[in-house]
Amino acid sequence: MHLRLATWNVNSVRLRAEQVARFAQEAAPDVLCLQEIKCREGEFPTAAFVDAGLPHLRIAGQKGSHGVAIASRLPIEDAPKLDVCREGHARAVSGIIAGVEVCNFYIPAGGDEADRTINPKFDHKLDFYERLTAEMARRDPAAPLAILGDLNVAPGENDVWNHKFMSRVVSHTPIEVAAMAALKASLGFLDLAREMIPEPLKLASWWSYRARDYRLSKRGLRLDHIWVSPGLRDAAFRKGCAACRIHDDVRGWERPSDHAPVSADLVL
């Protein structure tokens, strides 16, 4: 069975319902994980997703900010609850689809100061990583589990436009990179984008709205990720290599999100 997973920080699902429908048609994801939907469950544009062939929904909404959702072509079964946000924000949602536990996260950005003693937002970000790492360390590595979402860390030197400069900027500081590495090691996760396109090639999934032309600016960050557990290694490499793609062309659509979708294929 072929299963295409995708993640996209859509930056308001109601504002970009048309773009989501277009992406669903062109990229044909079986499972689409959305972040920053910025609406409550009752405000979610359900009909648009039904029309797009993604009728099965799990939504964790919040008024005006945050919010995550999973939209699927296939039925979604209950998965273990993810109690990883100390502030109670709508930043995590999960479900089991075709036997795969799909976990969708919107990890806090962390504010401007990379110091958890003076910046509560940064402390919250690291606390979220620590809780999630502890949760994943309790799981069975052989179980089929995928983490998707806007994890708000660009981990590698070539996941940012300038490593030296960005090492002082929240999203790529050494403490954040270490927190992400600990999460990755907790279950032995595979980062499918880097399995597909290894270092030292540059990768990015986010570009600031400040840039008139995101391609010319070349100041992107890779903040959006698809990871799989060792239990899905064979499924990810069934075709001989990882099939993962950053859909950077979507960033150039009319009224775009500042994030581009990322997709990956599994053959179960």
Side-chain angles (χ1 to χ4, degrees):
M1 176 184 177
H2 179 276
L3 189 71
R4 177 164 292 168
L5 305 176
T7 181
W8 190 7
N9 181 323
V10 72
N11 196 6
S12 180
V13 69
R14 291 177 292 176
L15 183 63
R16 297 191 171 83
E18 290 183 9
Q19 288 94 329
V20 172
R22 177 180 171 184
F23 177 71
Q25 180 179 25
E26 294 185 6
D30 298 296
V31 180
L32 177 57
C33 293
L34 298 173
Q35 303 86 43
E36 276 201 280
I37 62 173
K38 295 184 178 179
C39 68
R40 291 169 289 196
E41 182 172 345
E43 301 164 331
F44 193 87
T46 300
F49 283 81
V50 172
D51 291 344
L54 299 167
H56 302 283
L57 300 168
R58 289 294 170 97
I59 303 165
Q62 188 169 336
K63 183 180 180 180
S65 61
H66 315 313
V68 287
I70 300 174
S72 174
R73 180 177 61 83
L74 303 167
I76 305 175
E77 301 174 14
D78 291 340
K81 182 176 173 59
L82 297 165
D83 186 17
V84 290
C85 180
R86 73 179 186 198
E87 305 296 332
H89 298 164
R91 293 182 177 273
V93 68
S94 62
I96 296 174
I97 303 166
V100 176
E101 183 178 351
V102 176
C103 304
N104 177 19
F105 298 105
Y106 174 44
I107 292 183
D112 296 326
E113 293 290 335
D115 185 339
R116 67 189 308 175
T117 64
I118 64 173
N119 179 3
K121 292 182 179 179
F122 193 72
D123 182 59
H124 181 207
K125 181 176 191 173
L126 295 180
D127 183 81
F128 196 111
Y129 263 101
E130 289 159 0
R131 290 174 184 237
L132 182 53
T133 298
E135 171 66 27
M136 291 299 126
R138 292 191 286 266
R139 301 300 187 90
D140 178 3
L145 185 150
I147 282 181
L148 297 89
D150 177 0
L151 305 186
N152 258 318
V153 174
E157 292 189 14
N158 293 293
D159 296 326
V160 295
W161 61 275
N162 183 304
H163 168 63
K164 184 176 181 180
F165 176 82
M166 288 300 303
S167 292
R168 303 188 297 272
V169 178
V170 171
S171 71
H172 187 62
T173 62
I175 190 170
E176 293 168 280
V177 171
M180 177 173 270
L183 173 59
K184 188 179 180 186
S186 68
L187 203 63
F189 285 105
L190 301 169
D191 177 353
L192 293 187
R194 276 303 176 198
E195 294 291 335
M196 178 74 180
I197 304 175
E199 301 268 8
L201 292 176
K202 292 278 189 183
L203 288 178
S205 63
W206 172 92
W207 297 262
S208 173
Y209 283 130
R210 295 188 183 97
R212 286 189 177 182
D213 188 320
Y214 75 103
R215 291 189 186 277
L216 289 177
S217 77
K218 296 182 179 179
R219 293 196 172 198
L221 309 176
R222 188 169 73 96
L223 303 177
D224 305 273
H225 301 270
I226 301 179
W227 295 359
V228 297
S229 66
L232 286 173
R233 175 187 288 273
D234 289 347
F237 287 87
R238 194 84 64 189
K239 296 180 180 179
C241 65
C244 187
R245 177 186 171 190
I246 298 175
H247 300 259
D248 56 349
D249 58 310
V250 174
R251 179 62 176 80
W253 289 358
E254 185 177 355
R255 291 197 307 172
S257 169
D258 46 356
H259 293 254
V262 181
S263 68
D265 292 348
L266 304 177
V267 181
L268 304 173

